[in-house]
Amino acid sequence: MPHAIEILHVVYGHYPADTRVKRELGALRDTGRHRAVIAVRAQGERGIERVDGVLAIRVPGGKSRGGLLSYLIEYGDFVLRTRRLIASHRALRQVQVVHVHTL
């Protein structure tokens, strides 16, 4: 059974490419708390994997430069997918801290 995640970061971007998120999760490494990040899944990335001890959960989606309407649709889709994932993923049921980046 997976460890219950205590600290969850949510980023509408790519992990570990987003260095701000990577640094913050790295700073939490020595706390001994179980950490995870939900991010956008880039082409060729795995949906779930461990990156430097962090559970990286990536949801399908994208960030295009198609204008305000396409951004709002993509952003809304990401938020809905993330909410469903948090509600249904058993390792996320006991999250104590959620840090939302750039939403």
Side-chain angles (χ1 to χ4, degrees), residues 24-94:
E24 288 185 32
L25 284 163
L28 293 168
R29 181 178 299 122
D30 295 336
T31 66
R33 305 196 65 198
H34 299 286
R35 303 157 291 140
V37 60
I38 297 175
V40 176
R41 185 175 179 179
Q43 187 173 9
E45 284 185 320
R46 293 175 43 186
I48 298 176
E49 69 177 327
R50 288 231 173 248
V51 178
D52 296 328
V54 175
L55 178 64
I57 305 168
R58 300 185 183 100
V59 296
K63 291 178 68 174
S64 66
R65 306 240 184 245
L68 181 62
L69 183 59
S70 65
Y71 174 79
L72 289 174
I73 291 169
E74 291 168 354
Y75 173 80
D77 182 58
F78 177 77
V79 170
L80 289 174
R81 287 176 187 261
T82 300
R83 285 184 57 128
R84 273 187 264 147
L85 179 63
I86 292 170
S88 65
H89 197 291
R90 68 179 173 190
L92 300 176
R93 288 188 184 143
Q94 296 179 8

